Amino acid sequence: MTSEAQAVTRTVAEVPLARRFGVLWWGALLASGALVLLLGYTLVSVTLVGVGVWGINIPFVWGFDLINYAWWIGIANGASLFAAILVLRRHDLRTAVNRFAEGVAFFAVICAGIFPIIHLGRPWLFYWVFPYPATFEVWPQFRSTLTWDFWAISTHAIVTSLLWYVGLIPDLATLRDRARSRNVKRLYGVFALGWRGSVRDWAYHQRAYRLVAILVLPLILIMQSTVAFEFAVTLVPDWHETRQPLHFVATGLAQGLSIVLLVAVLLRWGLRLGPYIDEGDIDLLGRLVLASALVSAYLYVDEIVAALLADGIAQEATFNRLTGDYAGLYWTAIVYSILIPQLLWLKAARRSTLACVFVGFSIGVGIWFDRFSIIVGGLQTDYLPSIWRTYSPTLAETGLFLGTIGLFAALLLLFVRFLPVVSMFETRHDEHEEKSS
């Protein structure tokens, strides 16, 4: 590699190869580590005591568990779908955001995978949902949503990790070549898979990268729809609707884009990556987030119109979410995920770090309240008035949720510390094309 090519990506490569890191990073890692310890404590308590430590009851047999699972899987699906489209379209934005968008998707899948397992009550028997050849012929029930979760999460984890890792291979070789320590060179060299940057290497890499990206598109839509079908296939009045898959896909995309925007502005500010993640990239991300919020707004209006045309029981169940005990959840979701993103109509807001952080965080919070409204508020009014109850999460459930946020943050911080957050090979490619033109 020439010295000129090295200079283009020197700033990006120096971050994972630096011997010391900033105080802010250490403080964030300690805070996220504390939340990870909280996650470990809540997981142990649920495993030893059982799901009785949660506030679940009949009919609320899932509670925070399913809310948080649907929320995390939405982040993963939205970020993966966005990254795959950029790879296939070869859009200029891929250079700035693809690497950490793929990382966000992978880490969110890890967090989502915790909840279906721990909800089993006997998590040590989680392998019972696998389609393995059992000699005692107790086969998994393929009509069970637990089996659907197994296929959804396992497929998602495999494809998302492949998309992330395949894109990393050339940059891992760059870090191998620039590392000062022999042990670090060996470590990066193992994961670089003997990359030498030959024409043959690049040809295979681009084919593999685009092939995995092509696989992501249908799989992500199927996986997000599978989460929605867990509600739509039931006979619960507010859930039994064909609009559920579209709602989960669209709001999940908005959620994933908002987290990518949030991470982008924080990395740009914290690592001084302005030359690589410029104002134009942030501005375009803001426009995409705004567009996704408008699509979500249309679906909320569609939900109300569909309820007006529905039968009496379904109509009562839907409007109970808007005016009943959990109406605050619904309208909070509207404010945070629909109204606040309208700030992005302003160019100054799209180019402001504080405004982008605020909007990105708000949409994530708003979609979480949306999932709470659907899963808890939608289940409250069923066909039997005798089981109409309310649900309140316990400290154990709240601790589990906060713990997964800490796990996500810790994984993201470690990724920032040891791997390049911006694609170096794409940056060099873009720089070469600019000089050629």
Side-chain angles (χ1 to χ4, degrees):
M1 186 184 300
T2 65
S3 59
E4 185 178 357
Q6 289 180 355
V8 173
T9 56
R10 181 174 289 119
T11 303
V12 178
E14 284 178 353
V15 174
L17 295 177
R19 295 183 181 275
R20 297 181 180 179
F21 225 56
V23 176
L24 286 177
W25 182 85
W26 280 107
L29 186 63
L30 288 174
S32 59
L35 291 177
V36 172
L37 291 177
L38 177 62
L39 173 63
Y41 172 76
T42 54
L43 289 175
V44 170
S45 65
V46 172
T47 302
L48 296 178
V49 180
V51 294
V53 298
W54 295 348
I56 55 177
N57 55 57
I58 301 298
F60 306 105
V61 295
W62 291 297
F64 254 37
D65 185 88
L66 189 55
I67 294 167
N68 298 328
Y69 166 68
W71 187 72
W72 280 117
I73 210 71
I75 293 176
N77 288 333
S80 294
L81 186 62
F82 177 55
I85 291 173
L86 290 181
V87 170
L88 294 174
R89 293 286 298 169
R90 301 195 63 82
H91 195 281
D92 293 341
L93 189 59
R94 76 187 188 282
T95 304
V97 305
N98 246 46
R99 179 60 48 74
F100 59 82
E102 294 160 1
V104 164
F106 182 50
F107 303 147
V109 170
I110 294 174
C111 295
I114 295 174
F115 292 98
I117 294 176
I118 199 65
H119 177 262
L120 295 174
R122 298 174 180 175
W124 55 90
L125 300 178
F126 70 94
Y127 64 91
W128 280 16
V129 301
F130 295 0
Y132 66 97
T135 55
F136 42 90
E137 297 184 356
V138 181
W139 297 99
Q141 173 55 270
F142 289 99
R143 288 177 292 182
S144 169
T145 55
L146 289 173
T147 303
W148 300 358
D149 287 338
F150 162 72
W151 289 111
I153 294 174
S154 59
T155 306
H156 204 323
I158 292 171
V159 175
T160 304
S161 60
L162 279 176
L163 182 67
W164 184 49
Y165 178 63
V166 170
L168 269 171
I169 291 174
D171 289 351
L172 291 172
T174 300
L175 295 178
R176 173 201 64 198
D177 297 338
R178 297 187 186 184
R180 303 174 186 90
S181 169
R182 180 177 297 179
N183 291 331
V184 175
K185 279 181 176 289
R186 288 176 177 173
L187 181 62
Y188 284 125
V190 168
F191 289 101
L193 302 179
W195 178 272
R196 288 294 177 266
S198 66
V199 174
R200 184 180 182 183
D201 286 351
W202 281 114
Y204 283 137
H205 176 266
Q206 290 301 302
R207 290 175 188 171
Y209 201 21
R210 292 176 66 82
L211 176 61
V212 177
I214 290 172
L215 289 175
V216 166
L217 296 181
L219 286 174
I220 293 305
L221 295 175
I222 292 171
M223 295 308 109
Q224 187 69 73
S225 299
T226 299
V227 176
F229 282 137
E230 294 180 3
F231 307 100
V233 299
T234 68
L235 297 179
V236 177
D238 190 51
W239 290 0
H240 190 62
E241 298 182 11
T242 54
R243 58 174 300 279
Q244 293 286 6
L246 182 59
H247 180 88
F248 274 77
V249 169
T251 55
L253 179 60
Q255 184 184 5
L257 286 172
S258 69
I259 300 301
V260 170
L261 175 63
L262 175 63
V263 174
V265 294
L266 290 177
L267 290 178
R268 184 174 186 267
W269 167 77
L271 299 180
R272 298 178 178 86
L273 296 176
Y276 306 95
I277 309 174
D278 57 31
E279 286 188 348
D281 297 326
I282 301 298
D283 184 86
L284 181 54
L285 266 176
R287 293 170 185 263
L288 291 171
V289 169
L290 175 61
S292 64
L294 292 175
V295 173
S296 299
Y298 168 78
L299 292 174
Y300 278 108
V301 174
D302 172 73
E303 178 182 24
I304 295 175
V305 173
L308 292 173
L309 300 175
D311 60 80
I313 295 178
Q315 187 177 110
E316 180 183 4
T318 300
F319 282 99
N320 179 66
R321 288 176 51 214
L322 278 64
T323 60
D325 295 331
Y326 298 102
L329 302 174
Y330 181 88
W331 296 110
T332 301
I334 294 291
V335 170
Y336 278 84
S337 63
I338 304 299
L339 298 183
I340 290 179
Q342 303 311 308
L343 291 172
L344 296 178
W345 284 104
L346 305 174
K347 185 176 181 179
R350 295 196 301 271
R351 302 205 170 193
S352 166
T353 298
L354 290 177
C356 288
V357 169
F358 175 63
V359 172
F361 179 78
S362 297
I363 293 178
V365 171
I367 301 301
W368 186 84
F369 277 104
D370 172 76
R371 302 298 187 253
F372 201 136
S373 174
I374 292 174
I375 294 169
V376 174
L379 192 58
Q380 185 184 29
T381 305
D382 205 339
Y383 291 103
L384 296 176
S386 60
I387 62 171
W388 290 3
R389 297 184 177 89
T390 57
Y391 161 81
S392 298
T394 63
L395 290 177
E397 290 172 284
T398 305
L400 186 60
F401 175 51
L402 294 177
T404 55
I405 292 178
L407 176 62
F408 178 81
L411 291 172
L412 193 60
L413 288 167
L414 293 173
F415 163 56
V416 169
R417 178 63 182 90
F418 296 108
L419 294 171
V421 296
V422 173
S423 176
M424 292 190 287
F425 79 87
E426 295 279 15
T427 302
R428 291 192 294 267
H429 179 267
D430 290 351
E431 184 75 11
H432 177 72
E433 283 193 340
E434 288 180 6
K435 290 184 177 180
S436 299
S437 60

